[in-house]
C-alpha cells in the first residue's frame, strides 16, 4: 500500500500535467525523463527521487511548497 505522501505526489503531478494540458510525452521531454517513467510516477509504480521531483517541479513551473517536507528529508543542501 502506498504511503499517503506518495499518493499526494502522484496526484499533484498528474493534476498539474492535466491543468497545463500536457501529454506524458510533452512533460517527459520538458523534465528530461522518459514518458514511461513519468507514467509510473503518476500511477504509483515509482516514487521519484529528489532529483526527479526537482526536474518535474521546474518543467511544470509550479511552486515547490507541496514538497518541502519531503525535500528537507533528502537534505542535499540544494534548493529547487
Amino acid at each position: 500500500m502506498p504511503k499517503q505522501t506518495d499518493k499526494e505526489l502522484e496526484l499533484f503531478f498528474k493534476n498539474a500535467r492535466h491543468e497545463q494540458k500536457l501529454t506524458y510525452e510533452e512533460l517527459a521531454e520538458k523534465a528530461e525523463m522518459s514518458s514511461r517513467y513519468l507514467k509510473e510516477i503518476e500511477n504509483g509504480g515509482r516514487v521519484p527521487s529528489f532529483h526527479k521531483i526537482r526536474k518535474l517541479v521546474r518543467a511544470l513551473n509550479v511552486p515547490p511548497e507541496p514538497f518541502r517536507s519531503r525535500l528537507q528529508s533528502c537534505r542535499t543542501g540544494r534548493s529547487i
Side-chain angles (χ1 to χ4, degrees):
M1 182 171 190
K3 295 180 192 173
Q4 183 63 30
T5 55
D6 297 339
K7 192 68 174 166
E8 289 170 8
L9 278 175
E10 295 164 24
L11 292 174
F12 180 84
F13 287 125
K14 184 179 281 189
N15 290 336
R17 182 177 62 78
H18 284 276
E19 285 174 11
Q20 295 184 31
K21 297 179 177 26
L22 294 170
T23 65
Y24 284 116
E25 292 75 18
E26 290 167 333
L27 178 54
E29 184 176 330
K30 288 176 83 171
E32 301 175 340
M33 64 181 64
S34 74
S35 59
R36 181 178 179 185
Y37 187 86
L38 179 58
K39 286 177 188 177
E40 290 176 353
I41 291 171
E42 287 190 9
N43 294 314
R46 292 225 183 201
V47 177
S49 66
F50 167 81
H51 181 70
K52 298 290 186 186
I53 292 172
R54 191 170 76 178
K55 283 185 163 201
L56 285 166
V57 166
R58 286 182 175 168
L60 289 164
N61 195 29
V62 293
E65 282 71 29
F67 309 104
R68 285 283 178 218
S69 62
R70 184 180 186 93
L71 297 175
Q72 286 174 350
S73 69
C74 294
R75 294 241 160 209
T76 64
R78 295 155 84 187
S79 67
I80 53 173

